Amino acid sequence: MISSPSSSTHAKGTSSDLFDQTALSDLAQRLVEAAKRAGADAADAVAVRGVSHGVEVRDGRVEESERSEGDDVGLRVLVGQRQAVVSTNDVSGDGVAKLAERAVAMARVAPEDKYVGLADPSLLARDLPDLDLVDPATPSTAELERRAQEAEAAALGVKGVTRSGGASASAGIGGMVLVTSSGFHGAYLRSSQSISMTAISGEGTTMERDYDYSSAPHAADLYSPERVGRSAGERAVARANPRKVETCQVPVVYDPRVSGSLVGHLVGAINGASIARKTSFLKDKLGAQLFAGNIRIIDDPLRRRGLRSQPFDAEGVSVKKLAIIDQGILTSWLLDCATARELGLATTGHAHRGVSSSPSPGPYNLHLEAGTVTPAELISDIKQGFYVTDLIGSGVNGVTGDYSRGASGFWIENGEITYPVSEVTIAGHLLPMFKSMIAANDLEFRYGVNAPTVRIEGLTLGGR
């Protein structure tokens, strides 16, 4: 059996069976064996563990406290070039055999797909690294309440904050076991902890709200509750009394809280499923110079303590750090085995999967590498421009590359951030936006997609 050191090591050091995936591993193995007995040519089984515990606080009092635990399993079977997926959270009694038989019966009447199949055994992960994804100290309900209350108190202590929009703290454990009939047997666990706060400034129709949060696998990597709360409060106060602006074409600077969305639009467009269907505006751009030569965008599934790190993909394929943009050039699609076969390429180890679905490609820990200029230097020569702190809606067309997002933020005047602005629309096209992108040097790893402050030229700001 191949298992992740980050799961097995901590399992020995805790009394909680939440860290012990032995039963899930045995169940997945029995499902695969049952599928083969029922007539499947190949099969894989995934078992997913989800445990979460959270509290919500408002005005110093706990409004809600929730806890959930659950294990779910999914079985994928292949009969020739036909495929079926079934899932359940109850395989008591003779449920394993019945589930396998049902899956095989479904596969036999499914349409043929010449691209389906398990990963080639030569691609399977063998030595799984310890990514330090599990914090063995699970916080108590009292500790979560303390974190949320301290975040709220810090926000309410900011001058100009008039009320709380609520604070929360949570912790959880997620894990996956994957067994395939081609010989892969792997497992990993990942803990998660978070703190968030929403603060409100002003009164009546002049109220403004903003938020901040921190999330990490380990409690030691979280921002303190005080820092989260104070940041939320300061952001809410800074948004007070926003103005409208005239429609214009100006440089737009994206705060790190929202600049990662630009990376997300790129990655959505290079997803192997979109490329295979020819529904991406980048479908003919592999090897093209999309960004300036100093831009690199990295996907790193092996980052220690990363929010989306994992030692293998959902098909058991080994994963690795990949520069999807290197020196401004698009170097790769994100592929699982099926989309790779369809495109005549090799999988990049980006398969993701739930218990009720077949694998599909997706990213891990994404980041845009930091540039060399400071955020202040990035805006210093802007006579008039817009600094974005919040984006609304999802008006991005992945087929055409047209970009239109509702936004709020601050007006830039003579190189300085001045008054707050709300109810505007940013519009442009992603190709020239990528081409003009300049990154500042303030990259922090806080989210699943991370980017520093970013400047984009010549976008249309739709105002009054």
Side-chain angles (χ1 to χ4, degrees):
M1 173 179 174
I2 301 171
S3 64
S4 167
S6 60
S7 61
S8 60
T9 301
H10 291 298
K12 297 174 184 176
T14 177
S15 60
S16 171
D17 62 1
L18 296 176
F19 296 101
D20 185 358
Q21 295 172 291
T22 304
L24 285 181
S25 294
D26 292 343
L27 175 57
Q29 184 68 49
R30 288 190 289 121
L31 280 168
V32 170
E33 292 170 355
K36 293 287 284 183
R37 287 194 299 270
D41 296 318
D44 61 14
V46 60
V48 176
R49 169 157 294 167
V51 179
S52 64
H53 181 200
V55 298
E56 294 186 11
V57 168
R58 191 187 301 267
D59 298 327
R61 298 187 300 274
V62 176
E63 284 198 329
E64 191 171 1
S65 179
E66 289 186 335
R67 182 180 179 88
S68 65
E69 297 183 20
D71 293 338
D72 297 288
V73 294
L75 175 66
R76 178 172 66 135
V77 303
L78 294 104
V79 178
Q81 295 300 123
R82 304 174 190 271
Q83 173 179 268
V85 178
V86 295
S87 64
T88 185
N89 57 9
D90 180 14
V91 284
S92 56
D94 59 352
V96 167
K98 288 184 176 180
L99 189 70
E101 291 166 1
R102 179 158 61 91
V104 170
M106 291 169 58
R108 284 178 172 147
V109 297
E112 287 197 356
D113 183 345
K114 61 182 179 180
Y115 303 115
V116 302
L118 302 186
D120 188 293
S122 66
L123 300 174
L124 298 177
R126 296 300 175 189
D127 299 313
L128 305 187
D130 181 357
L131 302 177
D132 195 15
L133 300 179
V134 174
D135 187 337
T138 304
S140 65
T141 300
E143 170 62 14
L144 295 178
E145 290 176 6
R146 180 194 69 80
R147 293 177 185 178
Q149 287 169 340
E150 289 185 3
E152 183 179 56
L156 291 173
V158 175
K159 184 179 180 180
V161 172
T162 53
R163 66 195 67 193
S164 167
S168 67
S170 66
I173 299 167
M176 182 174 114
V177 173
L178 175 66
V179 176
T180 74
S181 59
S182 57
F184 181 83
H185 195 151
Y188 65 86
L189 279 173
R190 179 171 51 230
S191 58
S192 62
Q193 301 194 39
S194 68
I195 305 167
S196 68
M197 173 63 200
T198 300
I200 299 170
S201 65
E203 297 287 351
T205 59
T206 64
M207 286 194 298
E208 295 288 337
R209 74 172 60 223
D210 213 321
Y211 68 93
D212 204 354
Y213 71 96
S214 179
S215 180
H218 286 251
D221 297 330
L222 286 174
Y223 285 175
S224 70
E226 294 85 357
R227 178 173 176 176
V228 172
R230 185 173 62 254
S231 173
E234 291 171 349
R235 287 176 177 271
V237 171
R239 292 180 64 151
N241 303 310
R243 306 184 198 177
K244 304 290 191 295
V245 295
E246 300 290 343
T247 296
C248 54
Q249 194 171 61
V250 293
V252 174
V253 178
Y254 288 73
D255 182 86
R257 191 167 71 172
V258 293
S259 57
S261 64
L262 298 170
V263 178
H265 300 322
L266 166 75
V267 169
I270 64 170
N271 185 291
S274 297
I275 302 302
R277 292 194 301 265
K278 302 188 184 303
T279 56
S280 168
F281 74 101
L282 296 180
K283 64 183 183 297
D284 301 317
K285 298 295 184 181
L286 190 62
Q289 184 89 38
L290 298 184
F291 296 80
N294 61 347
I295 295 290
R296 295 183 85 233
I297 297 176
I298 309 297
D299 189 27
D300 187 4
L302 300 176
R303 193 168 77 229
R304 288 181 65 81
R305 297 193 179 192
L307 281 171
R308 299 178 181 174
S309 298
Q310 58 190 66
F312 56 87
D313 82 349
E315 294 176 295
V317 173
S318 58
V319 294
K320 62 183 179 181
K321 185 176 180 179
L322 174 66
I324 55 180
I325 298 292
D326 195 8
Q327 297 182 323
I329 296 171
L330 176 60
T331 66
S332 178
W333 311 127
L334 301 188
L335 304 171
D336 63 352
C337 287
T339 56
R341 293 185 190 106
E342 188 168 358
L343 294 168
L345 300 169
T347 178
T348 57
H350 281 87
H352 293 257
R353 178 184 172 187
V355 294
S356 59
S357 62
S358 57
S360 60
Y364 300 102
N365 299 300
L366 290 160
H367 74 271
L368 166 64
E369 285 193 349
T372 58
V373 298
T374 66
E377 290 170 335
L378 197 67
I379 68 172
S380 61
D381 65 337
I382 297 177
K383 298 299 183 184
Q384 288 190 318
F386 183 52
Y387 185 87
V388 190
T389 60
D390 202 16
L391 290 167
I392 306 161
S394 54
V396 178
N397 189 322
V399 178
T400 66
D402 291 324
Y403 178 94
S404 179
R405 301 287 305 271
S408 59
F410 298 86
W411 191 245
I412 301 171
E413 191 95 31
N414 296 320
E416 299 288 339
I417 293 175
T418 57
Y419 53 84
V421 171
S422 66
E423 298 180 15
V424 296
T425 301
I426 305 170
H429 190 279
L430 286 171
L431 282 177
M433 289 172 65
F434 291 160
K435 206 76 169 178
S436 72
M437 180 183 290
I438 304 172
N441 66 354
D442 57 338
L443 175 67
E444 289 186 73
F445 292 98
R446 294 191 60 188
Y447 316 112
V449 182
N450 297 281
T453 303
V454 163
R455 175 173 168 172
I456 304 290
E457 300 297 328
L459 293 178
T460 298
L461 202 66
R464 59 189 178 191

